[in-house]
Amino acid sequence: MTEVFSEPEKEGRPVVQAIAAVAVFLGVVGVLWAQKAFVHPQDASSEPAACSKSTERLPARYVSGARLCKALNRPDLPALLGTPREQAETAGGSGDWITLAGGTKIPSPDATVTLKTYSVKLSASYDDLSVAEVGHLMGDARKTTVLGHPAVLYSSPTISIGFNLGGGKATTGPGGTARCLLVSKHAKDDGGGTFEVAIWRQDDVLPDDTALERVAEQVLQTVPGWTGN
């Protein structure tokens, strides 16, 4: 039996950051696999998944993975995604660092909630790149706004990670496409950090942009660090 999961790459960021992000994710997946959180998803008769205990290595001045998970893992998330009969099967966050070339460390808290059809990831960025700058790096980026905040909508390939539950081996390869919405934390300042909401489907079908926008509009305004102006 093989279990397959996907995670978005970060092509718009520096390559070294993307590599580091994948390494962090592989470590998280390894822990979840060891705990059998992915091997035995909840059945239809069980309660929606609660956020698992978060690994936090960031100072308190940064938003934690636990807070991001709390904001993302809301009761109406399935309805916002257009799949109201589903529920959260796994949910968790992490507050950690990404190390860039030269040793520079950047806070990289995030949270992910998985359902039968969709996975959703919420992350906070504290690098120096503005929404406009990231938009210039993306080939298919479309400028937009979310609750009056500058934003860009773009696609990102996912990495497919498969586990052979019998042999204990993991394999990686190209997955489907994630749709990502990068949003400035401040309405009037596009240089004070960003939040990103990304969704991708388990069946590798292109995600629904309308669903992504609905999730972003409801979730972001509940995240610590979001400002209305």
Side-chain angles (χ1 to χ4, degrees):
M1 178 179 178
T2 299
E3 296 283 344
V4 179
F5 309 94
S6 296
E7 171 74 1
E9 296 179 0
K10 294 292 184 183
E11 286 199 336
R13 306 291 183 175
V15 173
V16 288
Q17 184 173 346
I19 295 173
V22 171
V24 169
F25 173 71
L26 289 174
V28 172
V29 169
V31 172
L32 290 172
W33 183 29
Q35 296 176 342
K36 298 186 178 181
F38 282 164
V39 176
H40 299 293
Q42 297 185 328
D43 58 48
S45 62
S46 63
E47 293 295 319
C51 290
S52 60
K53 185 176 181 180
S54 177
T55 301
E56 305 291 347
R57 296 187 175 89
L58 299 178
R61 65 180 179 273
Y62 302 114
V63 64
S64 67
R67 294 296 296 271
L68 293 177
C69 188
K70 181 179 179 180
L72 184 60
N73 191 28
R74 44 192 292 149
D76 63 348
L77 180 62
L80 294 173
L81 290 167
T83 57
R85 294 179 179 274
E86 298 182 5
Q87 62 183 22
E89 295 185 347
T90 65
S94 176
D96 215 326
W97 301 89
I98 286 179
T99 303
L100 304 183
T104 301
K105 290 187 176 182
I106 295 177
S108 182
D110 62 56
T112 302
V113 176
T114 64
L115 296 84
K116 181 179 179 180
T117 300
Y118 279 104
S119 290
V120 190
K121 184 173 183 177
L122 171 64
S123 57
S125 177
Y126 297 89
D127 59 24
D128 295 328
L129 290 176
S130 67
V131 167
E133 289 171 328
V134 173
H136 288 308
L137 297 174
M138 303 298 183
D140 69 338
R142 175 169 63 85
K143 292 183 180 180
T144 185
T145 59
V146 174
L147 301 174
H149 291 227
V152 290
L153 179 66
Y154 69 96
S155 297
S156 176
T158 66
I159 299 173
S160 176
I161 302 175
F163 295 105
N164 186 324
L165 303 184
K169 294 182 179 181
T171 60
T172 61
T177 298
R179 292 293 283 167
C180 310
L181 196 54
L182 186 72
V183 187
S184 174
K185 293 179 181 179
H186 308 282
K188 297 180 180 179
D189 178 13
D190 188 18
T194 58
F195 290 116
E196 183 172 84
V197 181
I199 65 173
W200 62 100
R201 292 178 58 109
Q202 318 303 356
D203 56 9
D204 293 342
V205 173
L206 189 67
D208 180 8
D209 285 350
T210 303
L212 172 59
E213 292 164 358
R214 283 197 301 263
V215 172
E217 288 177 352
Q218 296 301 316
V219 169
L220 289 179
Q221 58 186 319
T222 69
V223 178
W226 176 267
T227 64
N229 51 43

